[in-house]
Amino acid sequence: MNSSVEALRATFGSAIGRAIESCGDTIVYIDPAKLPEVMRWLRDTPEQHYDYLVDVTAVEYRDRERPLEVVYNLRSLARRTDLRIKVELDPQGDLTLDSVVPLWRGADWLEREVYDMFGITFRGHPDLRRILMWDTYAEGYPLRKDFPLRGRFSRAEQVRQALAANPEAHYSMEELSIAQAYDGLPPDMQERLRRGERAKIPYSE
């Protein structure tokens, strides 16, 4: 098991819950209230140095008795070591956690996706809004187990809502400028993008 587990227990005591090994991965459950403190310690402690946030996601199980889990995959690039942190939330209770964007800027869109798909709110997030569904989407959270496979509205109603939305009202000037930059690309690059081709990275095999 990852040596970080014992170091976490020694530092945070009862805030560290069970730790398991699964398919070669170490998974540690922590107290939601201690999330920012634990994550900062994992990032900043020289012996830990988990400097790369690989992913943030969530899992809801079919068993209604089980909590909803928010999952953080961390990696120490220098140590070549991975650690998975899980926080359990009551699906019927308060689905709010502190954002880790102040620690890892890359958590921005990852937390927005979890918010959009699962309805988990990240306190302190700089721009918490839907990222896959439009802002006025009213059907709920598509990856929750209570979400019907065909949605709650007809396909026609979904299309009507999507067309009625004003996408430009929900994006920053920076995001819009990136999209508009397409017109300034060389014609051959525009054509490759239209065909969905991936460019070859120089010196790659």
Side-chain angles (χ1 to χ4, degrees), residues 6-186:
E6 289 307 313
L8 281 166
R9 293 195 190 283
T11 305
F12 295 99
S14 61
I16 307 303
R18 65 190 186 281
I20 61 175
E21 194 84 11
S22 176
C23 301
D25 297 324
T26 298
I27 304 169
V28 182
Y29 290 80
I30 68 171
D31 183 342
K34 291 289 187 179
L35 178 66
E37 189 177 345
V38 170
M39 292 302 218
R40 185 176 297 277
W41 183 87
L42 286 167
R43 189 195 66 172
D44 295 347
T45 302
E47 294 79 12
Q48 306 303 323
H49 196 55
Y50 288 94
D51 51 341
Y52 179 36
L53 176 68
V54 179
D55 195 17
V56 180
T57 187
V59 181
E60 185 179 26
Y61 297 93
R62 292 187 181 277
D63 185 352
R64 294 183 179 275
E65 301 302 315
R66 297 185 66 174
L68 192 153
E69 298 178 349
V70 181
V71 186
Y72 300 83
N73 291 315
L74 305 179
R75 181 166 178 81
S76 170
L77 295 174
R79 297 170 54 227
R80 298 183 180 181
T81 303
D82 298 296
L83 183 66
R84 187 172 301 160
I85 299 294
K86 287 191 175 186
V87 175
E88 295 180 324
L89 299 174
D90 179 359
Q92 308 306 319
D94 182 20
L95 297 180
T96 303
L97 284 173
D98 287 297
S99 172
V100 297
V101 170
L103 299 176
W104 292 283
R105 191 67 181 86
D108 187 338
W109 284 14
L110 299 175
E111 289 183 348
R112 282 178 61 188
E113 183 176 352
V114 174
Y115 165 73
D116 193 0
M117 296 289 103
F118 289 91
I120 296 168
T121 299
F122 292 92
R123 185 170 40 238
H125 189 285
D127 186 24
L128 193 62
R129 55 195 167 98
R130 305 198 88 137
I131 191 171
L132 298 175
M133 314 308 290
W134 55 97
D135 279 358
T136 56
Y137 184 77
E139 293 196 47
Y141 305 103
L143 292 185
R144 294 293 299 271
K145 286 295 185 285
D146 61 357
F147 190 85
L149 291 178
R150 294 184 178 273
R152 294 190 173 89
F153 300 149
S154 68
R155 179 60 57 86
E157 174 61 16
Q158 292 180 45
V159 171
R160 188 198 67 76
Q161 288 189 17
L163 293 176
N166 178 13
E168 292 188 4
H170 305 295
Y171 292 93
S172 68
M173 290 305 297
E174 181 183 8
E175 290 167 323
L176 289 173
S177 67
I178 291 172
Q180 292 165 358
Y182 172 84
D183 294 331
L185 295 175

